[in-house]
Amino acid sequence: MNKIGILTSGGDAPGMNAAIRSVVRVALDLGIEVYGIREGYQGMVEGGEMIREMTWESVGGILQRGGTMIGTARCQEFKTREGRRKAAKNLVNHGIDGLIIIGGDGSLTGASIFRTEWPELIKGLTKSGEIPAESAEKYPNLVIVGLPGSIDNDMFGTEMTIGADTALHRITEAIDAITSTASSHQRSFVVEVMGKNCGYLAMMGALAAGADWVFIPEVPPDPDAWKKEMCEALGAGRKAGRRDSIVVVAEGACDKKGNPITSQDIKETLEEKLGEDTRITILGHVQRGGSPSAFDRNLGTILGHAAVHELRKTKPEDEPQLIGMRGNRVVSSSLMECVKITQQISSLASENQFGKVLELRGSGFQSAYKILQTLFQPGPKLVKKSDKPFRIAVMHSGGPAPGMNTVVRAAVRWGSDQGHTMLGIYNGFPGLIKGDLKELSWMDVSGWVGQGGAEIGTNRAVPSEGDYYSIARTIEEGRIDGLLVVGGESGYDSVYEMFGRQKEFPTFRLPIVCLPATIDNDRPGSELNIGADTALNSIIQAVDKIKQSAVASRRCFVVETMGGYCGYLTLMGGLATGAERVYIHEEGISLQDLQNDVDLLVTGFSQGKRLGLMIRNERAHPVYTTDFMVRLFEVEGQELFDVRQAILGHQQQGGNPTPFDRIQGTRMAVQSIDFIINEIGAKDPRNVFIGLEGGKIKFTGMEDYTRLEDWDYGRPKVQWWMDLRPIARVLAQSGPQQL
Ligand code: ADP
């Protein structure tokens, strides 16, 4: 294979550009020519200028742009055989016999039909003399690979589609903004989000933004009861002191009989039955727009890279594949099988078979819905209080991580809902030592879902020898039955110490869960830590601006990120901003590396390069510091280019948590509380750390901490993301006049 085409089709989605950039550069790196087909299948049918060769530079500077640089369209003609015949002719004329298609199930169906028909189309075209006879021999088959691009996250075969995370960002930002005005006026708002057959955006948006009621197509309510149920719940919320009422509705929501539930219906109901001043906000195309999130940039990049490799190894007789992501790993599955199941789900929905739809959406979707149902109650359910309700404490330890408040809110509500008393320990271990604790009620944590910082305070201090006695006393006097420690290294280390001192202090025999919340993403037992996604998004926003500031001059930036000894933020930040060089402690920096980098910079800038971007972890090297590197590049760059440093600093720890951090924080909090409740009273209650691995939540025993933790550098011994380094290297290397 030496010439391939790439097209984006169907609805546009943020992150498509990252995928295009990745496909083009990875292919060029392998010596494959790439043609960009404009406006989806329309360009393939029209041919000519609509199919253009792409270069390394032509995909420079697009990572941070929303939409798709090669355009997308819906094309009726491609649905006809005649249209596809024209398309085949145009591809043959360009010598293209491999295609990467980014789109939804419609687009991928079209691709599959086209591939099946190809040999016949070619035969027909040679017969009529429209293409030379030897083409039939030269292009007997078309190979295709599909990438899921859609904001709706409605594609089977991948956990996330390209664009869904960014859409959730837009939705969450909008609901956060609406919540603040709604609570000022004690108003009700109905927020309508996209999703005709798929309630993913509505549900996750509601979960992330702490909405008070939700309607999704998968869970249609009873036609005679939904108005009463909603009004009772929202009315009770008001009585409990809630200042805002936010109802999220998916555009395709309906009741059990299939009657649509529109935002207007909801507004009228709230006004009529509750006398609430109610406003409607239809988010519409805002959800599609804007700069892609860090996750979508990296998802597009990683999937694009995999698609080229898949295409190269596909033989004509192989089934075409859809490349997706599951649990941070690239997965490939039969394209047609994925399309078939996706379409089955749509038709089940249109036949009102919602039970089956919900089942096919998977357990993650179902449990998120269940969590949402509990968290947006106006207060704890009136359960028969267990004879002896447990007392479960929550605390932080470590630096601030966005999402800490989200976790505490979910933990407090989930525990209270089961009749237990929830306690907050203030300011980390010093608070536990002093006995600084307070009961937290349902309404105490109201509004915490999206607040950055840590309302109950956090602290990096770890207990010293004499402090364990005081901790034991706090646990005893506070009658603490179980403990959730939300934070980073200091939390894990301290709990490990307590775990080892159970003989000395029998009070320490209580269930303890450590929940990873640190922007550094350096806790073992979890591929992702709460706060890291927010920090990564802060980094890319800052770097995007830095890149823009440099366009007018020839300048090289050395950007320093946080992360302790863990290079996660640096590598993922570099991948998402198109940095040409990433320096991390895991790899180290040698003098020879710096010499090579200087050479590359000098050659690049002397050939007309305008911007250099190097990203360095704060502890990448003790001697070759950021300052050292800046001075080195400056001296060597002489008249050719300027060098500036940008130390991003504490903005990385601040800001409101991203939807991902809120959703995962909530899920982990709920499971941690369930774990603690289960373990209380056990003969040997377990101490564990919770985490996300392979897309699933799991618990690891504290006894495994030493095995997994690299004690010298406070990071896991094995880090999954290190496998992504080659992708970053390919994309940034050689000839980048632009990043
Ligand atoms: P999506 O890919 O987002 O599901 P559509 O369903 O609108 O979006 O499909 C986008 C385009 O893909 C259509 O306009 C058409 O060009 C092509 N397409 C969709 N379905 C088919 C089909 N059954 N046969 C051929 N082409 C199709």
Side-chain angles (χ1 to χ4, degrees), residues 538-569:
S538 303
I539 290 172
I540 67 164
Q541 281 163 18
V543 176
D544 284 352
K545 287 181 193 152
I546 289 171
K547 278 167 72 175
Q548 277 177 351
S549 80
V551 288
S553 50
R554 282 183 304 188
R555 191 166 278 179
C556 173
F557 277 96
V558 181
V559 176
E560 182 186 297
T561 67
M562 284 183 166
Y565 284 110
C566 173
Y568 176 82
L569 290 178

Side-chain angles (χ1 to χ4, degrees), residues 154-375:
D154 58 351
M155 190 76 205
F156 195 83
T158 188
E159 228 165 49
M160 288 296 273
T161 52
I162 297 169
D165 183 64
T166 308
L168 266 183
H169 273 251
R170 297 293 102 81
I171 293 168
T172 309
E173 284 153 14
I175 305 180
D176 282 355
I178 288 168
T179 303
S180 61
T181 164
S183 71
S184 307
H185 292 272
Q186 301 214 31
R187 257 185 200 137
S188 297
F189 269 85
V190 184
V191 183
E192 185 182 310
V193 306
M194 283 184 169
K196 288 209 174 70
N197 283 324
C198 185
Y200 177 86
L201 291 178
M203 181 176 73
M204 291 307 188
L207 189 63
D212 306 305
W213 201 254
V214 73
F215 293 100
I216 57 173
E218 290 85 348
V219 193
D222 192 298
D224 306 315
W226 69 261
K227 294 183 179 170
K228 188 162 161 275
E229 279 169 14
M230 174 182 70
C231 291
E232 274 175 11
L234 295 184
R238 285 283 191 220
K239 280 209 192 92
R242 209 189 257 160
R243 290 191 55 87
D244 54 86
S245 276
I246 310 281
V247 178
V248 176
V249 54
E251 61 183 338
C254 54
D255 66 23
K256 275 202 175 96
K257 287 194 177 144
N259 308 307
I261 297 176
T262 64
S263 27
Q264 191 60 30
D265 295 338
I266 300 167
K267 171 186 155 85
E268 282 165 14
T269 306
L270 292 177
E271 289 185 332
E272 205 176 288
K273 291 201 190 294
L274 289 180
E276 294 257 340
D277 181 10
T278 307
R279 307 292 159 99
I280 295 176
T281 302
I282 297 176
L283 296 184
H285 285 78
V286 164
Q287 294 163 86
R288 272 193 197 289
S291 181
S293 65
F295 180 85
D296 275 328
R297 295 183 195 189
N298 288 343
L299 181 67
T301 300
I302 294 165
L303 296 189
H305 173 267
V308 175
H309 286 280
E310 180 67 37
L311 200 59
R312 253 177 32 127
K313 69 171 212 249
T314 305
K315 295 192 198 67
E317 63 276 16
D318 292 345
E319 250 199 272
Q321 301 286 299
L322 175 86
I323 308 289
M325 186 80 96
R326 207 168 290 140
N328 289 318
R329 300 291 183 283
V330 171
V331 288
S332 76
S333 14
S334 155
L335 178 78
M336 275 331 286
E337 195 59 29
C338 295
V339 166
K340 203 173 96 193
I341 298 175
T342 305
Q343 291 176 344
Q344 245 169 20
I345 298 177
S346 298
S347 41
L348 283 172
S350 46
E351 291 159 13
N352 297 345
Q353 301 208 43
F354 294 103
K356 282 192 190 144
V357 174
L358 199 57
E359 211 173 283
L360 286 166
R361 290 262 188 258
S363 57
F365 193 97
Q366 292 160 33
S367 69
Y369 187 72
K370 193 174 148 231
I371 293 171
L372 184 58
Q373 291 298 308
T374 299
L375 295 186

Side-chain angles (χ1 to χ4, degrees), residues 9-11 41 73-76 78-79 84 103-110 113:
S9 167
Y41 291 116
R74 308 212 192 255
C75 167
Q76 281 312 315
F78 192 73
K79 289 191 174 170
R84 294 192 291 272
D105 59 309
S107 309
L108 300 175
T109 307
I113 294 173

Side-chain angles (χ1 to χ4, degrees), residues 484-525:
L484 173 61
V485 179
V486 182
E489 192 182 349
S490 58
Y492 280 57
D493 288 355
S494 308
V495 170
Y496 183 71
E497 268 297 314
M498 287 173 65
F499 174 70
R501 289 168 186 258
Q502 286 188 353
K503 276 214 179 87
E504 199 183 330
F505 299 100
T507 10
F508 289 176
R509 284 182 198 278
L510 79 170
I512 306 182
V513 177
C514 289
L515 190 154
T518 163
I519 65 160
D520 298 347
N521 208 45
D522 64 1
R523 291 302 77 219

Side-chain angles (χ1 to χ4, degrees), residues 81 84-85 88-89 92 114-142:
R81 193 180 161 96
R84 294 192 291 272
R85 208 178 71 94
K89 182 177 151 190
V92 168
F114 188 46
R115 168 188 166 273
T116 315
E117 273 181 2
W118 180 270
E120 276 181 37
L121 294 173
I122 296 298
K123 224 183 269 167
L125 287 166
T126 21
K127 219 180 204 170
S128 63
E130 283 168 273
I131 55 172
E134 58 270 25
S135 297
E137 272 163 43
K138 217 167 155 199
Y139 307 106
N141 296 291
L142 177 75

